[in-house]
Amino acid sequence: MTDLVATTPGLYPLPDAAKRRLSDLKGHQKGDLVTGDEGPEITAAYDEARAEVVADQRDAGLDR
C-alpha cells in the first residue's frame, strides 16, 4: 500500500487570545510584522501562541 502525505501550505491563524494580548502590547498597527527587535513581553506572547498552535496540530495527529 502506498503512503500518502497531505499538507497544506500557509499560515495558521493567530489565536484570538494572542491577538488581544498583542494588541494590548503593541497597539492596533496595520503593518506590525515581526522584526526581530521586539521586547520580551511581545516575544513571549508570540512564543506562547506558537506553542498553542503546535499543540493543537499535534493533538490532531498532524506531524508535518
Side-chain angles (χ1 to χ4, degrees), residues 17 33 37-38 54:
L33 298 175
D37 60 350
E38 290 75 23
V54 170

Side-chain angles (χ1 to χ4, degrees), residues 12-60:
Y12 198 92
L14 194 61
D16 289 339
K19 288 180 192 175
R20 287 189 295 275
R21 181 174 177 200
L22 287 164
S23 177
D24 290 343
L25 293 170
K26 295 169 45 171
H28 298 283
Q29 303 164 14
K30 290 274 185 186
D32 60 347
L33 298 175
V34 177
T35 61
D37 60 350
E38 290 75 23
E41 287 184 88
I42 293 171
T43 301
Y46 279 114
D47 289 345
E48 290 168 17
R50 184 179 308 108
E52 178 183 338
V53 167
V54 170
D56 288 346
Q57 292 173 342
R58 286 187 175 154
D59 289 347

